[in-house]
Amino acid sequence: MRPPGMPAEMIELWRGELCESWHAGHAVICDAHGVVEAWGRPAEVIYPRSSCKMIQALPLVESGAADAAGLTDRQLALACASHSGAAMHVAAVDAWLAGLGLSEPDLRCGTHMPRDAAENRRLTCSESAPCQLHNNCSGKHAGFLTLNRHLKGGPDYVEPDHPVQQAAKAAFEEVTGEVSPGFGIDGCSAPNWACTVEGLARAMARFANPGADRRGQAMRRLVDAMRAHPEMVAGEGRSCTELMRAMGGAVAVKTGAEAVFVAILPDQGLGIALKITDGATRASEAAIAALLIHLGVLEAGDPAARQLLDGPMTNCRGRVTGALRRAEGFPI
C-alpha cells in the first residue's frame, strides 16, 4: 500500500507472465460541483502543457478577436491543437496568417521537423528545412497573433508580461479556480502556468458545463470546434484524433507533453485531468482510454481504444510481445 497522497499505480506493461514495468500518476474527474472520483493526489501541482490550449484560446474568442478576424470552427480547432505538421496543417496556418496580413516570421514558436510522416519525408528527400508553420503549436500561436492584433500589442507576444499572455493567465486562473504558483516556458516559448490536477479537471468540467454568458459561449465554441475537426487537433494516427473519432465527436480530448491528458464530456457534464509522473506518453494515452471506458463513452473493443490499452503489442517481426493493461483498482 502507498501512503495517502502518493501517485496511484495506473498502467502496467506485461511481457509474457511478468509485469515488466508500471506507471503511476494522478487523475481527477470533476463535475460542476467538484470532485467525483480521484486517484493519487488531486492537489499535485503540475504544468498542464499543451492540454490547456483550449483555456489559452479563451481570450481569443471572448475578446471578439476571433469574430473580428472571421475565424472558422476549423481555425478554432487549430488554435487548440498540437498538430502533426501535415501539409493540411501547414497550409491552414499559412492561410490564417495571410488573412491577418502576417506571415511565418511573425510567429514566435520556433521550428522543428513535423511529426507527420509524409511531410517529414518530403522535407527530408528534398533537403528542405522545416519552418515555424510546421511547429505543432503554430495554430495556437496564430490564435495569439489574432488576439495580439485585436489588443494592439507588441510583436513579442510570448513574453509573460505581454497583454496576450496576461489575458491567458487571467483566464487560466479563473477557470481552474486557483492562483497559479508560477510558470515554466513551454516548448513553443509561451509561458505555461502551473495548477493542481484537480484545478485542471475543474476547468475541464467548466468547459463541459458552459453557461450562457460570454465565457460560456466561448467555451462551447471551442469544444464544438475540437469535436467537429479532430483531424486539426492532432492528425492521422494520433491518439487525440482517433479517440474523438471513436467516440463520434461526443467528447473532446487533448494531450500535453510529459504525460498530461484531459477530456471534456459535455453530455455527462464531466471533466477529466491526469498526469503520469514519469512523463511516459504511452501511459497517459492508456490511462485516458481507461477512464473514458470507465465512464461509458468509449467502447473497450474499439480499435482506437485497443491500440492504446489491452491490445497486443508487437515487435518488428509482427510477433506479439505484450500489452499495456490497467493496474488493479484503476479505474475502480
Side-chain angles (χ1 to χ4, degrees), residues 32-327:
H33 305 291
V35 176
V36 175
E37 294 183 84
W39 298 262
R41 185 170 182 265
E44 185 75 7
V45 177
I46 65 168
Y47 291 119
R49 304 298 297 270
S50 288
S51 75
C52 72
K53 282 181 176 175
M54 68 289 287
I55 303 176
Q56 293 173 310
L58 275 176
L60 168 66
V61 181
E62 285 182 314
S63 67
D67 287 337
L71 298 189
T72 64
D73 284 351
R74 191 167 181 263
Q75 288 170 311
L76 291 180
L78 196 54
C80 301
S82 297
H83 64 72
S84 296
M88 67 173 180
H89 300 127
V90 172
V93 178
D94 192 31
W96 184 346
L97 294 177
L100 298 173
L102 302 173
S103 60
E104 184 266 350
D106 292 299
L107 294 169
R108 296 290 185 268
C109 54
T111 300
H112 62 71
M113 285 294 285
R115 182 167 177 169
D116 179 76
E119 185 66 5
N120 191 301
R121 183 169 56 252
R122 184 188 72 80
L123 291 171
T124 300
C125 293
S126 64
E127 297 185 352
S128 300
C131 68
Q132 292 185 99
L133 299 173
H134 291 96
N135 189 297
N136 73 101
C137 295
S138 64
K140 178 179 80 171
H141 282 248
F144 284 159
L145 281 168
T146 305
L147 176 60
N148 190 40
R149 187 180 72 165
H150 192 73
L151 298 177
K152 298 179 172 56
D156 292 320
Y157 61 86
V158 294
E159 295 304 315
D161 60 352
H162 191 280
V164 166
Q165 299 307 327
Q166 286 298 298
K169 178 191 178 187
F172 182 79
E173 293 185 328
E174 288 162 11
V175 299
T176 59
E178 300 175 355
V179 175
S180 177
F183 68 89
I185 299 301
D186 216 334
C188 67
S189 293
N192 196 248
W193 297 93
C195 67
T196 66
V197 180
E198 179 180 344
L200 187 57
R202 185 184 304 116
M204 296 304 105
R206 287 178 173 165
F207 274 85
N209 298 278
D213 59 1
R214 182 185 295 269
R215 170 151 295 166
Q217 293 174 30
M219 287 177 164
R220 185 175 291 104
R221 283 181 66 183
L222 290 167
V223 172
D224 287 350
M226 292 174 69
R227 296 190 295 168
H229 299 281
E231 75 286 353
M232 302 308 292
V233 176
E236 298 304 319
R238 299 277 304 282
S239 59
C240 288
T241 297
E242 299 306 324
L243 284 171
M244 284 192 279
R245 285 174 174 167
M247 293 180 287
V251 176
V253 299
K254 185 68 186 71
T255 190
E258 296 303 317
V260 183
F261 228 117
V262 301
I264 300 166
L265 290 70
D267 291 346
Q268 292 76 20
L270 299 174
I272 305 172
L274 69 87
K275 160 71 177 178
I276 300 297
T277 55
D278 64 10
T281 298
R282 72 179 186 186
S284 63
E285 292 177 339
I288 197 68
L291 290 172
L292 293 169
I293 292 167
H294 170 62
L295 294 172
V297 294
L298 177 66
E299 293 291 334
D302 189 281
R306 286 185 57 78
Q307 185 177 357
L308 304 176
L309 181 70
D310 295 330
M313 299 176 68
T314 58
N315 64 13
C316 56
R317 290 188 63 203
R319 297 189 65 179
V320 174
T321 60
L324 286 171
R325 303 176 184 170
R326 306 168 184 81

